[in-house]
Amino acid sequence: MNLSFSPAEEGFRREVRDWMEANVPRTRLPSMDTAAGFAAHRQWERTLNGGGFAMVSWPREYGGRGANLLEWLIFEEEYWRAGAPGRVNQNGIFLLGPTLMEYGTAEQKARFLPRMASGEEIWAQGWSEPNAGSDMAAIRANARADGDEFVLNGQKTWSSRAAFADWLFGIFRTDPESKRHQGLTFVLVPLDTPGVTVRPIAQLDGETGFAEVFFDEVRVPRWNQLGKLGEGWKVAMATAGFERGLMLRSPARFQATAARLVELYRRHASEADPSLRDAVVRAWTNAEAYCLNTYRTATRLIAGGSIGAEASLNKIFWSEMDVHMHETALAILDARAELLPHASAAGDVGDWLDGFYFSLAGPIYAGTNEIQRNVIAERLLGLPRS
Ligand SMILES: Cc1cc2nc3c(=O)[nH]c(=O)nc-3n(C[C@H](O)[C@H](O)[C@H](O)COP(=O)(O)OP(=O)(O)OC[C@H]3O[C@@H](n4cnc5c(N)ncnc54)[C@H](O)[C@@H]3O)c2cc1C
């Protein structure tokens, strides 16, 4: 076993580090859940693309660098180390992009991937419906074939950043007689099409991180179908695999949080409850363990392996680790944790509270952890459904 990086990988790391040091904005961008913040983050995507760093693991022809998974992990380490902004087009580059590469036609790849990489087109995910969340097979939004068009009707909800996004990918029922996972089709929809109504959902902080999307006789070309008619579930499960597997939440994100937590504890060690030291150590070791496990998976994938239901283990691990790290930070900060960063007595509370609230969503999005546990029980452990 060789645990060191090759000279080429070290060179790539230096290149990324130098570029990030020169280009990462010095001041934090406004939240991407606001119109101004969304625009600023889109601009950052353009800058990344200009440097050739939009999505390093994609083939060059689509705006990538043809990097392998190990190089992608190195890129992520340098990205988070530099404190670079969140990826406003994560639905596109991390989820739809890889799905398009697997299921898209050559024309679809050429049409969508470069504009996705450049941030020119930012994507929302349209899966959940008011009565189809965990039970996604209950989807009722439908697409009726009419000549060379689909006519869409129905409603999606909880669509992250759809309030500002350009396109939405979703699954729609194309066979009205079908039940559950059958008869669904994966369709790509421009959000400015007549008949689409995007209604922002304000969060507790007033920012519109989500939207409901209504479809009323919305016409899109059948060319926008991804994968085969009626096989949308299969395509969506590939997307879900990318979401729960390696792409959406790389280890570097949590290693960066763990490093900040260690620093926070050091600053407060004299007044913090000594038992918190164990929690800090646990957070740090968990982040390292997640990193090593991800490198192991990446090596296996490079050698031709695949990732299946074990992606659910990853998802539970990172989401619970994130909650634990933020809870520990709030405990270190004690009563001050509840102050907003601009309060006069805030001291170094930073954005831990904001991060804590977002961490609580981790066990819900990308499929709740209860559902992941069902997947593990049935598909990895072979336990009976009841
Ligand atoms: C931050 C965030 C971003 C999101 N972004 C998007 C997005 O961009 N696009 C999109 O389509 N959706 C998005 N969602 C929605 C998300 O996918 C759903 O919230 C999630 O799938 C759960 O569905 P639900 O909210 O309808 O809850 P429900 O499915 O009603 O579940 C309620 C509770 O019951 C539990 N439960 C349900 N069924 C079972 C079962 N069979 N066994 C055990 N427990 C069960 C669940 O685990 C949960 O605790 C987002 C959610 C969040 C929090």
Side-chain angles (χ1 to χ4, degrees), residues 2-277:
N2 180 2
L3 289 177
S4 49
F5 294 105
S6 69
E9 286 161 351
E10 293 291 6
F12 177 65
R13 182 187 293 284
R14 264 194 309 279
E15 186 190 344
V16 180
R17 186 170 295 187
D18 290 347
W19 190 89
M20 292 293 162
E21 274 168 13
N23 290 281
V24 167
R26 301 264 171 253
T27 50
R28 208 170 154 201
L29 301 185
S31 162
M32 66 173 89
D33 291 340
T34 62
F38 191 87
H41 281 80
R42 191 198 289 268
Q43 183 54 42
W44 166 244
E45 293 291 331
R46 285 194 192 107
T47 307
L48 271 174
N49 191 48
F53 291 112
M55 195 56 199
V56 293
S57 57
W58 284 10
R60 286 185 186 277
E61 68 219 83
Y62 302 130
R65 284 179 170 239
N68 68 22
L69 271 178
L70 292 184
E71 290 162 326
W72 178 71
L73 289 169
I74 291 170
F75 170 80
E76 285 282 301
E77 284 169 11
E78 293 306 316
Y79 192 90
W80 287 97
R81 181 183 173 279
R87 303 300 301 267
V88 72
N89 201 10
Q90 53 184 269
N91 285 326
I93 53 175
F94 296 151
L95 309 184
L96 180 61
T99 313
L100 263 166
M101 286 188 214
E102 202 170 320
Y103 287 98
T105 62
E107 293 76 22
Q108 286 175 325
K109 291 180 202 174
R111 161 64 186 80
F112 293 115
L113 292 172
R115 283 178 235 202
M116 193 183 287
S118 68
E120 187 183 334
E121 289 173 349
I122 295 191
W123 288 81
Q125 183 187 51
W127 287 1
S128 304
E129 297 182 5
N131 292 309
S134 300
D135 187 16
M136 209 167 84
I139 277 177
R140 289 169 59 189
N142 57 81
R144 186 177 80 241
D146 182 17
D148 55 5
E149 290 179 322
F150 280 128
V151 184
L152 312 180
N153 283 285
Q155 179 191 352
K156 298 288 177 183
T157 192
W158 304 127
S159 189
S160 296
R161 291 171 293 284
F164 312 111
D166 308 294
W167 281 75
L168 172 140
F169 59 87
I171 35 182
F172 296 83
R173 198 160 289 285
T174 35
D175 175 358
E177 306 298 319
S178 65
K179 294 268 179 311
R180 310 289 299 159
H181 311 81
Q182 315 294 324
L184 298 165
T185 301
F186 202 110
V187 185
L188 312 174
V189 189
L191 284 171
D192 60 359
T193 313
V196 174
T197 304
V198 178
R199 191 182 295 163
I201 304 173
Q203 301 164 167
L204 270 181
D205 59 9
E207 293 178 0
T208 48
F210 297 108
E212 299 175 285
V213 185
F214 297 87
F215 304 88
D216 181 11
E217 293 289 292
V218 174
R219 290 186 168 268
V220 295
R222 289 190 64 173
W223 188 86
N224 290 17
Q225 169 186 316
L226 181 58
K228 294 198 178 127
L229 186 72
E231 292 192 7
W233 186 262
K234 190 166 116 191
V235 185
M237 286 307 104
T239 313
F242 296 121
E243 190 168 22
R244 293 164 194 169
L246 297 190
M247 285 287 160
L248 186 65
R249 297 286 180 251
S250 72
R253 176 190 181 110
F254 305 107
Q255 288 175 299
T257 308
R260 285 199 301 127
L261 187 62
V262 170
E263 281 310 307
L264 183 74
Y265 182 77
R266 284 206 172 114
R267 287 199 299 277
H268 293 267
S270 57
E271 79 260 26
D273 177 341
S275 69
L276 288 172
R277 197 172 57 169

